[in-house]
Every structure is written in structure tokens, then in C-alpha cells.
């Protein structure tokens, strides 16, 4: 699976947590061609824990009933080694969601071990071109655990989902300024998929004009930044459950752009850091990125001012703390 070739051999895609809320939307988008393209057949493997395999089988039955032309086949598994054998793209969704009043990092204890095991299984059997997108929370540190457990695979094949934060930022800006999300350029979300994240408009434009000149500074600092950062909690409060369809949609955006590129457009992805912008090497950090030739390139050479620096640093600090906890799993 590369950006440039349209192969008619099915791409093998594994989705974990296949009986859960996010998967119920994500699987259909993948099978409809929204990620790998309208001519690329897909084979789906649905991974669940034994207690939820029956429910995942029901999901597989519904996929079959949808008669989707690109869907080449569906397997349901509870065995991780089998689930990741030959996989080209993995969406690691299966993990406990937080409830009201919990933070995403509270989930590290419950969820971290899942990613340790799945990283090892991916290492054992994945295809050479594998791409792994971690969605289960705390997503950045779970991606860190996964790539560390998959030591034979280049770490740049492991990402965490921060596209939902990016999309939320675009949507809120659009609502405020009466614009479509597509009219904004160079918006980015730095850091961790947590309340410390920093949605940043320093470099952004709207219809080619500098965005910072068009938004009220107090709204930007007092409302926009915290509301984007806390939107997941707001959804839980209102919906009673964590975001699902919007998370699936963001996962589709992320994997599609990773595979096919962004044509120079900036988006946000959490990727293993090579110390860009002072981030500890190895932390999985949200950066402005461009998709090119089937890989992400972090946008480099940006000047970081005194408003941005402490906000980026707060995320480095938070992820460093999570990594310390995660390192105890090894
Ligand atoms: P859900 O509870 O509806 O579904 C999770 C599923 O995962 C369940 O069916 C469960 O049986 C399964 N599961 C648990 N352990 C597993 C394992 N070891 N292997 C395979 N499957 C396993 O939850 P959901 O709403 O689909 O959310 C899933 C995760 O995604 C949560 O951690 C949530 O916080 C996170 N999330 C992340 C983002 C993001 O932007 N990164 C957005 C929304 C939700
Ligand atoms: C989100 O941002 O919606 C998810 O990470 C779910 C959550 O716990 O907030």
C-alpha cells in the first residue's frame, strides 16, 4: 500500500474494539473507500476481546448486509497474533473510554497493557508497509507504548489521533468567522490529546489573510483554546458517552492523508518526535504536518514566540509524566 500505486490486491485493515462505538462508524467508512480510495478493495479484520466477539460477529453480519463493492472479506478475531498477520493498516481503537469527571491519562493504567500486547503482535506479523493509528486513550502515550513494543518496525509507522482536535479547531473557527473549515490554512494543534493541548492560529490564514488579525485575542485565549482542548469532556457531558462518529471521521481523515498525502496542506498528527521544537525524543507529539509520498513531514523552521512556548512546554511536561508511567510496563 503506497500513496502512488492503486493496487487491486485488497489492503488488509485491522480495527480493534470492533464491537464498540467508534468502530460502528469507522468500519463502514473504510469499507466504502473513504480511506484507501474508490478503487481499492479492502479486507477487514475485526479484533475484540472474547466477551465481545459475538457482538463483533453481529457487526460483521451488518457489514455483509451492506453489500459494499470494495469489501473483499471480513474476519472476526479474539487472537491478536492472528488479527495483525499481514496487516497493512491498523486502527487501534479498542480501549476503555473515560467517563464523566475522569481524565484521559486516568485510562493509562487500564489501557496501557493492551497496547503493549498489540505492539508485540504487530511486530510479529504485520506487513512491511504497516501504518498504525492509535485512537484509544490516552492516545499519544498508547502509541508510544505500541511502537516501543514493536521494536523491529520503524517508529514513524505509529501515530496517535489528534485530527479530531484539529477538526474541532477548524469547526469552531468557521462558526465564529462564518467560514467553511476548508477556507482555513495552517491551523495546528500542538502536544497531547488532553486538556493541555494547544490549538494554535499563529501561522493560520483565512482565505489567504492572516487569521490572528481577524479574531479577537480574548476570544482566542479565553474561549477558543480551552474549548477545543476540553471538547471531548463537553461531548461526554452532553451525550453521556464519548465522541464516536466524529472520532471515526477524524481517523478516516488521518489515515487517508497519511496514505495519499495532503498536497502541501497542513494538518495535525501526533507522531514520534525526533526532538523537533524542543520535544523529548520519542514522545508522540501533536505537530503541524504535511503528508507527502506516503509519510508525514513535520513542518519545520517555525518561529515559536513567548505565547506559544509555555503552551508547548506544558504538553512536553504532561507527556513526559505519562511516559514515565508507561515505561514501568516494560
Ligand atoms: P467503546 O467502549 O464503545 O468500545 C471499545 C471496545 O474496545 C469495546 O467493544 C471493548 O470490548 C474493546 N476492547 C477492549 N479491550 C480490547 C482489546 N484488548 N482488544 C480489542 N478490543 C478491545 O469505546 P469507544 O467509544 O469506541 O472508544 C474507544 C477508545 O477511543 C476509548 O479509549 C476512547 O477514549 C478513545 N477515543 C479517542 C479519541 C481520540 O481523538 N484519540 C476520540 C474518541 C474516543
Ligand atoms: C475525545 O476527545 O472526544 C475523546 O478523546 C474522548 C474523551 O475522552 O474526551
Amino acid at each position: 500500500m503506497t500513496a502512488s500505486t492503486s493496487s487491486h490486491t485488497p489492503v488488509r485493515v485491522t480495527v480493534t474494539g470492533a464491537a464498540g462505538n467508534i468502530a460502528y462508524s469507522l468500519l463502514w467508512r473504510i469499507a466504502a473507500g473513504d480511506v484507501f480510495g474508490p478503487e481499492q478493495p479492502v479486507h477487514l479484520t475485526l479484533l475484540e476481546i472474547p466477551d465481545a466477539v459475538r457482538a463483533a460477529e453481529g457487526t460483521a453480519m451488518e457489514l455483509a448486509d451492506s453489500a459494499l463493492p470494495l469489501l473483499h472479506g471480513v474476519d472476526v478475531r479474539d487472537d491478536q497474533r492472528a488479527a495483525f498477520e499481514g496487516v497493512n493498516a491498523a486502527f487501534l481503537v479498542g480501549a476503555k473510554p473515560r467517563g464523566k469527571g475522569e481524565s484521559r491519562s486516568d485510562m493509562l493504567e487500564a489501557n496501557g497493557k493492551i497496547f503493549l500486547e498489540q505492539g508485540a503482535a504487530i511486530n510479529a506479523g504485520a506487513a512491511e508497509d504497516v501504518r498504525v493509528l492509535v485512537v484509544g486513550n490516552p492516545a499519544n502515550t498508547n502509541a508510544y507504548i505500541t511502537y516501543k513494543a514493536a521494536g523491529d518496525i520503524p517508529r514513524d509507522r505509529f501515530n496517535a489521533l489528534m485530527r479530531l482536535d484539529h477538526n474541532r479547531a477548524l469547526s469552531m473557527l468557521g462558526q465564529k468567522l462564518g467560514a467553511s473549515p476548508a477556507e482555513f490554512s495552517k491551523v495546528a494543534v500542538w502536544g497531547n490529546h488532553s486538556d493541555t493541548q494547544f490549538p494554535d492560529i499563529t501561522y493560520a490564514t483565512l482565505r489567504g489573510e492572516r487569521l490572528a488579525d481577524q479574531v479577537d485575542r480574548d476570544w482566542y485565549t479565553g474561549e477558543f483554546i480551552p474549548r477545543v482542548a476540553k471538547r471531548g469532556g463537553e461531548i461526554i457531558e452532553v451525550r453521556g458517552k464519548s465522541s464516536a462518529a466524529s472520532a471515526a471521521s477524524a481517523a478516516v481523515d488521518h489515515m487517508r492523508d497519511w496514505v495519499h498525502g495532503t498536497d502541501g496542506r497542513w494538518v495535525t498528527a501526533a507522531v514520534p518526535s525526533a526532538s523537533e521544537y524542543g520535544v523529548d525524543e520519542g514522545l508522540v507529539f501533536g505537530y503541524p504536518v504535511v503528508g507527502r509520498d506516503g509519510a508525514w513531514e513535520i513542518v519545520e523552521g517555525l518561529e515559536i514566540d513567548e505565547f506559544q512556548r509555555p503552551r508547548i512546554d506544558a504538553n512536553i511536561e504532561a507527556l513526559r509524566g505519562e511516559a514515565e508511567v508507561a515505561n514501568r510496563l516494560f
Side-chain angles (χ1 to χ4, degrees):
M1 184 183 63
T2 65
S4 52
T5 50
S6 163
S7 152
H8 290 280
T9 306
V11 59
R12 295 194 72 86
V13 183
T14 301
V15 176
T16 74
N21 279 304
I22 294 175
Y24 200 60
S25 172
L26 177 61
L27 289 163
W28 270 262
R29 297 282 309 276
I30 298 168
D34 292 353
V35 177
F36 302 102
E39 291 180 12
Q40 174 62 60
V42 292
H43 182 104
L44 285 172
T45 299
L46 279 48
L47 178 66
E48 258 299 348
I49 54 172
D51 280 354
V53 158
R54 180 108 178 112
E57 280 167 353
T59 302
M61 287 162 67
E62 281 205 75
L63 279 164
D65 292 351
S66 303
L68 294 158
L70 292 172
L71 188 55
H72 178 265
V74 183
D75 304 314
V76 180
R77 305 273 188 205
D78 62 7
D79 176 81
Q80 318 205 42
R81 293 288 165 127
F84 293 113
E85 190 59 46
V87 65
N88 304 111
F91 293 83
L92 305 190
V93 180
K96 189 173 177 290
R98 65 174 166 155
K100 287 185 189 177
E102 290 178 308
S103 78
R104 296 184 187 92
S105 61
D106 291 340
M107 299 295 103
L108 189 51
E109 190 120 342
N111 290 338
K113 198 167 161 283
I114 296 173
F115 296 87
L116 190 68
E117 290 167 1
Q118 291 180 356
I122 290 167
N123 197 51
E128 220 172 290
D129 66 350
V130 69
R131 291 177 174 86
V132 180
L133 175 59
V134 175
V135 177
N137 277 319
N140 300 55
T141 299
N142 288 338
Y144 169 87
I145 293 168
T146 313
Y147 86 65
K148 284 189 77 152
D152 300 328
I153 300 176
R155 62 169 68 158
D156 65 355
R157 305 298 180 74
F158 298 83
N159 291 180
L161 183 67
M162 284 188 63
R163 187 64 172 266
L164 179 55
D165 310 292
H166 184 91
N167 288 348
R168 287 168 171 163
L170 292 179
S171 168
M172 279 184 212
L173 288 166
Q175 284 171 38
K176 182 75 177 168
L177 295 160
S180 147
E183 293 180 289
F184 296 94
S185 300
K186 301 191 174 176
V187 172
V189 185
W190 299 89
N192 195 8
H193 178 61
S194 71
D195 292 359
T196 55
Q197 68 181 252
F198 172 37
D200 186 6
I201 64 161
T202 307
Y203 319 102
T205 59
L206 169 59
R207 302 180 194 114
E209 303 290 328
R210 203 174 113 86
L211 183 58
D213 297 337
Q214 302 176 61
V215 296
D216 175 66
R217 192 78 187 165
D218 289 342
W219 176 80
Y220 171 53
T221 57
E223 267 188 64
F224 171 77
I225 293 175
R227 189 139 187 236
V228 171
K230 294 181 184 160
R231 182 67 162 184
E234 191 182 347
I235 298 281
I236 292 170
E237 204 52 48
V238 175
R239 189 175 178 262
K241 289 193 274 200
S242 68
S243 63
S246 58
S249 194
V252 165
D253 290 345
H254 181 124
M255 189 64 86
R256 181 200 60 224
D257 287 353
W258 194 359
V259 173
H260 295 289
T262 61
D263 205 16
R265 204 168 33 93
W266 290 21
V267 293
T268 298
V271 301
S273 177
S275 302
E276 295 89 348
Y277 300 102
V279 176
D280 299 11
E281 195 265 335
L283 294 179
V284 176
F285 204 82
Y287 282 110
V289 295
V290 169
R292 193 169 284 131
D293 298 330
W296 294 119
E297 291 174 9
I298 294 172
V299 177
E300 295 209 62
L302 299 171
E303 215 167 286
I304 304 295
D305 67 21
E306 58 192 21
F307 179 80
Q308 296 167 293
R309 191 70 255 172
R311 287 169 173 78
I312 292 173
D313 287 348
N315 283 282
I316 298 172
E317 194 60 39
L319 282 168
R320 197 179 279 156
E322 288 184 23
E324 271 169 28
V325 176
N327 287 338
R328 289 185 215 131
L329 290 169
F330 291 89

